């Protein structure tokens, strides 16, 4: 089944809201452009930052107008320097003249006033949600398929609330974005069922979570129908894995079929009656049900910050032997093509015209080494070397002791 890049869809939704770019953003961009246009202007701005005592190690950065996430980072960063820009407006006469004439007789929009800074704060708060959603969708070091439905709920609720906002600027942007949201994700019956299956295979939520939000968004009949479709998809995938593995769906954990008829003759009629009743109980017990039914009947896990869904399925793979394989493949589905596109871009930088004769193994090692070095858990080389030296000293000490023991025995 085709799966659209979720990060690209979020990008289209936000661009729809920013298509009529607000003057406040343009004014702030022009102010940042002035500061970054020459070293002398930048030094004057840094002096203003020191005078107003802004404790920030970074400084303002100019955005790429065609990329909304770049605009968000610029606004988030520049918001901290509002007092510095106000001081620059007083101390630097050239700053005011810059907005009166750009040298070609055209007036440049700016500089930002108090109302513009208030609008910037609104924009930052508004865009932060979608920026964080994009980051979660674009992750490559953790499972992303099980977060799609959660982020979908968050975006829908936020856009619905903002459409009713008293702020005309926010409500206008939210309505445009909500219309684009509905175009791609408004009809749940058109969405890829695998994204709902991934939530069902998350032991913290399972099928009840999906059914609850289906009922919140749609009528009871549509919600029930979609819930049945999702459950049917899980069951069909499980049965497919059963057929591929040669595993009988009606078997319990001990591998014995619950539907087999006892072939051993029973002489005592009383024993026969009891055995028939025991078989009936066994057929209704959880042990005779499929792994899907047992998994859905079990209690949900506690949603803790340190919960790792991959570790959970690894630990419970003996209990859900085939369902864990289904979860392994479903949870491996990426929500975004950003990570793969980034890998191709990295490969292009490694294999440039000056190093075009590198062997494939060498290119792979370079890219993997770069990925490891950028990982969160950075290896401390000094600590690693000290650990190796301690092991070597222990090894030499044991070797010398064994030599002395052999000499004494001789």
């Amino acid at each position: 089944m085709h799966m659209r890049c979720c990060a690209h869809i979020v990008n289209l939704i936000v661009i729809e809201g920013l298509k009529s770019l607000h003057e406040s953003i343009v004014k702030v961009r022009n102010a940042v452009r002035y500061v970054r246009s020459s070293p002398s202007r930048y030094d004057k701005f840094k002096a203003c930052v020191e005078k107003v005592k802004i404790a920030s190690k970074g400084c303002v950065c100019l955005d790429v107008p065609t990329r909304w996430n770049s605009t968000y980072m610029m606004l988030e960063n520049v918001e901290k320097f509002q007092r510095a820009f106000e001081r620059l407006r007083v101390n630097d006469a050239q700053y005011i003249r810059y907005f009166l004439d750009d040298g070609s007789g055209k007036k440049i929009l700016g500089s930002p006033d108090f109302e513009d800074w208030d609008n910037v704060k609104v924009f930052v708060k508004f865009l932060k949600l979608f920026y964080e959603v994009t980051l979660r969708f674009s992750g490559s070091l953790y499972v992303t398929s099980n977060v799609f439905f959660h982020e979908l709920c968050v975006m829908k609720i936020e856009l619905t609330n903002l459409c009713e906002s008293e702020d005309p600027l926010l409500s206008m942007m939210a309505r445009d974005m909500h219309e684009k949201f509905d175009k791609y994700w408004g009809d749940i019956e058109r969405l890829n069922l695998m994204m709902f299956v991934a939530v069902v295979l998350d032991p913290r939520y399972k099928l009840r979570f999906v059914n609850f939000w289906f009922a919140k968004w749609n009528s009871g009949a549509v919600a029930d129908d979609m819930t049945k479709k999702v459950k049917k998809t899980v069951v069909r995938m499980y049965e497919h894995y059963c057929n591929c593995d040669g595993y009988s769906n009606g078997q319990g954990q001990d591998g014995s079929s619950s539907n087999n008829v006892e072939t051993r003759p029973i002489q005592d009629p009383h024993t026969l009656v009891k055995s028939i009743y025991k078989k009936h109980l066994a057929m209704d017990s959880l042990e005779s049900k499929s792994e899907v039914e047992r998994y859905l009947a079990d209690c949900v896990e506690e949603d803790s910050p340190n919960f790792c869904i991959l570790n959970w399925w690894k630990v419970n793979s003996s209990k859900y032997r085939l369902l864990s394989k289904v979860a392994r493949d479903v949870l491996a589905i990426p929500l975004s093509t950003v990570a793969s596109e980034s890998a191709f871009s990295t490969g292009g930088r490694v294999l440039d015209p000056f190093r075009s004769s590198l062997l494939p193994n060498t290119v792979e090692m370079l890219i993997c080494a770069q990925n490891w070095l950028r990982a969160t858990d950075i290896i401390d080389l000094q600590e690693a070397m000290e650990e190796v030296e301690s092991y070597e000293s222990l090894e030499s000490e044991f070797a010398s002791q064994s030599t002395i023991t052999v000499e004494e025995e001789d």
Side-chain angles (χ1 to χ4, degrees):
M1 290 185 286
H2 177 66
M3 179 66 193
R4 290 191 179 100
C5 175
C6 296
H8 290 174
I9 295 178
V10 174
N11 183 56
L12 294 173
I13 292 172
V14 178
I15 289 176
E16 185 68 22
L18 297 176
K19 63 181 180 181
S20 53
L21 198 60
H22 199 267
E23 286 186 357
S24 299
I25 297 178
V26 179
K27 288 181 180 180
V28 169
R29 180 182 295 131
N30 290 336
V32 174
R33 184 179 286 115
Y34 170 83
V35 171
R36 304 295 300 191
S37 59
S38 71
S40 61
R41 292 174 177 177
Y42 184 66
D43 291 338
K44 289 180 182 179
F45 180 75
K46 287 176 65 177
C48 293
V49 172
E50 293 175 1
K51 286 181 180 179
V52 296
K53 297 180 180 180
I54 296 177
S56 179
K57 295 181 180 179
C59 199
V60 293
C61 57
L62 193 62
D63 70 327
V64 180
T66 56
R67 296 177 58 185
W68 72 266
N69 54 340
S70 174
T71 302
Y72 163 74
M73 288 187 285
M74 178 193 72
L75 296 177
E76 183 192 35
N77 190 33
V78 81
E79 182 186 359
K80 296 178 282 189
F81 297 94
Q82 176 182 351
R83 289 183 294 131
F85 277 102
E86 292 170 356
R87 175 60 68 96
L88 184 67
R89 190 173 185 175
V90 175
N91 294 354
D92 188 1
Q94 191 178 3
Y95 177 67
I96 302 298
R97 289 197 298 270
Y98 173 79
F99 296 102
L100 298 177
D101 189 359
D102 64 350
S104 60
K106 295 181 180 179
K107 184 178 179 181
I108 300 176
L109 196 62
S111 64
D113 54 23
F114 290 106
E115 184 179 353
D116 294 322
W117 288 113
D118 290 339
N119 289 335
V120 165
K121 294 175 183 177
V122 172
F123 282 125
V124 170
K125 185 179 179 181
F126 179 72
L127 294 176
K128 183 179 180 180
L129 168 68
F130 299 95
Y131 179 75
E132 292 176 348
V133 168
T134 303
L135 290 182
R136 292 191 188 98
F137 282 168
S138 307
S140 59
L141 301 178
Y142 52 87
V143 177
T144 58
S145 57
N146 64 323
V147 304
F148 168 76
F149 191 56
H150 300 268
E151 300 302 332
L152 198 69
C153 295
V154 169
M155 286 188 289
K156 186 175 180 64
I157 292 173
E158 188 69 14
L159 287 174
T160 302
N161 292 338
L162 288 173
C163 286
E164 301 171 357
S165 173
E166 296 180 357
D167 189 325
L169 176 61
L170 270 181
S171 60
M172 180 189 68
M173 291 176 58
R175 282 194 294 270
D176 292 339
M177 294 173 69
H178 204 299
E179 185 178 347
K180 183 68 74 170
F181 178 91
D182 289 339
K183 177 181 177 181
Y184 290 100
W185 290 330
D187 187 1
I188 61 171
E189 295 181 299
R190 293 173 53 195
L191 297 181
N192 194 318
L193 289 174
M194 296 306 295
M195 295 300 97
F196 303 129
V197 171
V199 181
V200 174
L201 294 175
D202 190 329
R204 295 168 294 178
Y205 306 104
K206 300 189 179 182
L207 193 62
R208 288 184 179 179
F209 182 86
V210 176
N211 184 35
F212 173 80
W213 285 107
F214 282 167
K216 280 281 186 181
W217 292 356
N218 303 275
S219 62
V222 175
D224 293 340
D225 184 55
M226 281 298 300
T227 304
K228 291 177 182 177
K229 284 183 180 179
V230 173
K231 184 177 180 180
K232 184 178 179 181
T233 304
V234 178
V235 172
R236 287 179 61 190
M237 290 185 68
Y238 171 73
E239 291 174 348
H240 173 74
Y241 279 68
C242 287
N243 295 332
C244 294
D245 196 65
Y247 181 78
S248 176
N249 192 18
Q251 288 180 341
Q253 290 181 347
D254 61 351
S256 61
S257 174
S258 61
N259 295 324
N260 290 340
V261 179
E262 185 69 48
T263 57
R264 186 176 59 186
I266 301 176
Q267 302 297 330
D268 187 1
H270 297 86
T271 306
L272 176 60
V273 171
K274 292 178 181 179
S275 65
I276 293 174
Y277 180 67
K278 286 181 179 179
K279 285 182 182 180
H280 171 71
L281 292 178
M283 291 178 66
D284 290 339
S285 68
L286 289 175
E287 292 296 327
S288 66
K289 294 182 179 179
S290 71
E291 292 180 8
V292 176
E293 293 172 323
R294 286 191 280 115
Y295 168 75
L296 295 177
D298 287 344
C299 296
V300 296
E301 295 290 327
E302 183 179 354
D303 188 7
S304 61
N306 298 324
F307 182 84
C308 179
I309 187 171
L310 296 180
N311 284 341
W312 190 91
W313 278 108
K314 182 179 180 181
V315 170
N316 290 273
S317 59
S318 57
K319 184 178 180 181
Y320 307 111
R321 189 169 71 85
L322 291 178
L323 191 60
S324 62
K325 295 181 180 180
V326 178
R328 176 196 62 190
D329 294 340
V330 171
L331 296 176
I333 300 174
L335 288 180
S336 170
T337 60
V338 172
S340 56
E341 290 171 359
S342 176
F344 279 106
S345 300
T346 303
R349 289 193 295 271
V350 172
L351 199 64
D352 59 21
F354 300 100
R355 292 187 290 184
S356 58
S357 60
L358 289 176
L359 296 174
N361 290 338
T362 308
V363 176
E364 182 179 356
M365 286 188 288
L366 289 170
I367 294 176
C368 289
Q370 184 188 61
N371 181 264
W372 295 335
L373 290 172
R374 290 179 176 177
T376 53
D377 299 330
I378 301 175
I379 299 173
D380 189 340
L381 292 178
Q382 183 66 30
E383 183 180 346
M385 290 300 295
E386 291 176 358
E387 189 176 352
V388 171
E389 289 175 0
S390 64
Y391 286 142
E392 289 178 350
S393 62
L394 287 172
E395 186 178 355
S396 60
E397 184 180 343
F398 286 136
S400 61
Q401 288 180 358
S402 61
T403 304
I404 294 171
T405 306
V406 172
E407 290 177 353
E408 290 177 352
E409 289 178 355
D410 292 341

